[in-house]
């Protein structure tokens, strides 16, 4: 690890010795749902098209990350990435990079039934699907859209074309769907999916997050243990955000991403690129580094790579949610990317 600033050979390291090898790329801030923990029912002002990276710009920046900065995993996010018209072409170009990165997609699966074959053909390795409820009325209430059937169809399509293991991401909200922990787990286990419960984080556009109202990892585990025996997964967690447990001795597993109550910042290996070309060194960062402007002003790949190195070098030790001085990011999750 360098002592004063990153070097050309250092990759995306920070002052605490962490190395970012996992790139989260937001392809759009738009979404076809209005989940209450993300945005208001009426939606948000979307980015103007001239500020959004073009397909070629996305491909170039991902190429710099993979070929010059040591990134080995690329996850496409949104908003809802399936709304990006150039998604398949971007994916095909990224999987043609050498060394080839592992590619993933985080989606609400609306439209995945149609797109899954093309995504698999283009080289997508697997998907994470957001699913917070199995009840149609609860889905409509949480997401302000009646699209549960579309999400379930997308899940089936992902399995059919081999985008496995399909992982399901579920957020439990107090007084709304917290009673569905066991039902969601039963569904995932029956379908062969890997379920991840995620603690609600302070990333809503309304800034109405209340830690006291959050369903915690401890509560989720207690609910699951009323139905199954859970034992810690002996597999090394590494930089993975989820703590996983074997269900009734395995091999099936369930995970909990306890970003708030059990933060894993010390092992974080992520770097983030927003749809408008800004690097964020942490999901909760209050500052960004502009790569879109560097691209459009004619900077070389190495000059852009150096900007990226400096951005990651300044990463803080942790997100600081428990610090009284913590400030929620101005951008909501839909504008940052999952």
């Amino acid at each position: 690890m360098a002592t004063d600033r990153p070097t050309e050979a250092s990759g995306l390291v920070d002052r605490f010795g962490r190395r970012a090898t996992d790139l989260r790329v937001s392809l759009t801030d738009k979404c076809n749902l209005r989940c209450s923990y993300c945005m208001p029912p009426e939606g948000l002002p979307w980015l103007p098209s001239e500020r959004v990276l073009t397909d070629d710009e996305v491909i170039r920046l991902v190429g710099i990350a993979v070929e010059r900065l040591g990134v080995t995993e690329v996850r496409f996010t949104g908003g809802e990435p399936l709304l990006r018209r150039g998604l398949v072409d971007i994916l095909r170009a990224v999987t043609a990079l050498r060394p080839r990165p592992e590619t993933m997609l985080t989606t609400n699966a609306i439209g995945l039934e149609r797109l899954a074959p093309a995504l698999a053909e283009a080289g997508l390795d697997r998907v994470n699907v957001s699913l917070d409820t199995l009840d149609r009325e609860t889905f409509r209430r949480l997401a302000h859209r009646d699209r549960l059937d579309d999400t379930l169809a997308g899940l089936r399509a992902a399995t059919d074309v081999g985008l496995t293991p399909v992982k399901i991401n579920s957020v439990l909200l107090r007084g709304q769907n917290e009673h569905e922990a066991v039902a969601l787990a039963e569904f995932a286990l029956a379908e062969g999916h890997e379920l991840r419960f995620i603690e609600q984080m302070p990333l809503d556009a309304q800034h109405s997050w209340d830690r006291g109202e959050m369903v915690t990892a401890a509560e989720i585990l207690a609910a699951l243990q009323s139905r199954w025996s859970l034992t810690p997964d002996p597999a090394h967690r590494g930089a993975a955000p989820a703590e996983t447990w074997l269900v009734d001795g395995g091999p099936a597993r369930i995970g909990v991403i306890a970003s708030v109550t059990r933060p894993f910042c010390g092992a974080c290996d992520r770097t983030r690129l927003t749809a408008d070309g800004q690097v964020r060194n942490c999901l909760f960062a209050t500052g960004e580094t502009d790569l879109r402007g560097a691209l459009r002003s004619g900077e070389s790949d190495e000059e852009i790579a150096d900007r990226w190195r400096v951005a990651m070098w300044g990463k803080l030790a942790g997100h600081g949610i428990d610090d009284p001085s913590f400030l929620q990011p101005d951008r909501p999750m839909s504008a940052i990317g999952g």
Side-chain angles (χ1 to χ4, degrees):
M1 171 180 156
T3 56
D4 51 356
R5 60 162 288 149
T7 65
E8 183 174 331
S10 63
L12 295 175
V13 297
D14 64 33
R15 293 166 295 168
F16 303 95
R18 295 168 298 193
R19 183 179 301 274
T21 57
D22 181 341
L23 170 62
R24 309 293 173 101
V25 181
S26 176
L27 295 177
T28 179
D29 62 326
K30 296 177 181 177
C31 190
N32 40 22
L33 297 180
R34 300 290 184 269
C35 297
S36 58
Y37 53 80
C38 186
M39 66 176 75
E42 64 273 16
L44 296 167
W46 307 129
L47 289 167
S49 58
E50 66 272 13
R51 285 177 54 189
V52 176
L53 294 174
T54 67
D55 293 358
D56 287 343
E57 288 172 336
V58 172
I59 292 165
R60 183 180 170 195
L61 287 176
V62 175
I64 290 170
V66 171
E67 296 172 348
R68 295 175 179 267
L69 296 171
V71 163
T72 58
E73 299 178 25
V74 178
R75 178 181 297 279
F76 296 105
T77 72
E80 174 44 56
L82 294 182
L83 296 178
R84 178 77 182 227
R85 291 183 178 180
L87 172 60
V88 173
D89 291 335
I90 292 171
L91 177 62
R92 186 175 290 112
V94 169
T95 57
L97 293 171
R98 294 295 178 268
R100 182 198 187 283
E102 184 179 7
T103 56
M104 293 148 285
L105 179 78
T106 295
T107 173
N108 60 31
I110 296 173
L112 188 57
E113 182 180 25
R114 176 177 59 86
L115 282 172
L119 293 171
E121 185 276 330
L124 184 65
D125 292 307
R126 59 180 178 82
V127 296
N128 283 38
V129 174
S130 299
L131 178 65
D132 301 323
T133 178
L134 296 168
D135 180 81
R136 186 169 180 173
E137 177 55 30
T138 302
F139 189 101
R140 188 199 61 76
R141 187 174 66 252
L142 291 178
H144 298 92
R145 299 290 187 275
D146 187 8
R147 306 299 296 271
L148 175 60
D149 291 345
D150 296 304
T151 293
L152 295 177
L155 275 169
R156 290 190 294 270
T159 300
D160 290 345
V161 300
L163 298 176
T164 54
V166 174
K167 294 185 179 180
I168 294 177
N169 297 335
S170 298
V171 177
L172 298 182
L173 304 177
R174 196 172 304 285
Q176 299 189 61
N177 65 337
E178 63 181 313
H179 61 284
E180 290 195 63
V182 169
L184 286 162
E186 287 178 335
F187 170 78
L189 293 170
E191 297 295 325
H193 304 320
E194 293 190 10
L195 179 61
R196 302 287 187 269
F197 289 102
I198 304 175
E199 288 182 336
Q200 183 190 7
M201 294 178 283
L203 290 168
D204 59 306
Q206 306 92 305
H207 286 214
S208 60
W209 179 84
D210 181 348
R211 178 171 179 145
E213 289 298 307
M214 180 188 71
V215 181
T216 67
E219 292 175 281
I220 294 166
L221 289 170
L224 297 175
Q225 286 167 334
S226 71
R227 172 67 172 80
W228 298 281
S229 169
L230 300 182
T231 53
D233 188 347
H236 190 264
R237 177 181 178 183
E243 293 181 80
T244 54
W245 282 264
L246 301 180
V247 179
D248 289 342
R253 300 181 300 172
I254 292 176
V256 178
I257 299 176
S259 302
V260 178
T261 62
R262 303 181 188 180
F264 41 87
C265 302
C268 182
D269 66 349
R270 290 160 200 80
T271 184
R272 298 174 183 276
L273 181 66
T274 66
D276 57 346
Q278 310 300 303
V279 165
R280 297 178 65 87
N281 58 28
C282 173
L283 184 60
F284 297 96
T286 55
E288 300 175 333
T289 297
D290 180 24
L291 297 190
R292 183 192 69 233
L295 277 174
R296 296 180 182 179
S297 66
E299 289 194 11
S300 69
D301 286 1
E302 188 47 47
E303 288 173 320
I304 292 169
D306 194 52
R307 285 181 181 270
W308 208 327
R309 293 186 189 99
V310 172
M312 294 307 297
W313 184 253
K315 185 172 183 170
L316 299 177
H319 54 50
I321 291 176
D322 283 332
D323 192 306
S325 65
F326 173 77
L327 295 175
Q328 182 172 335
D330 290 334
R331 293 204 201 216
M333 176 68 90
S334 62
I336 296 173

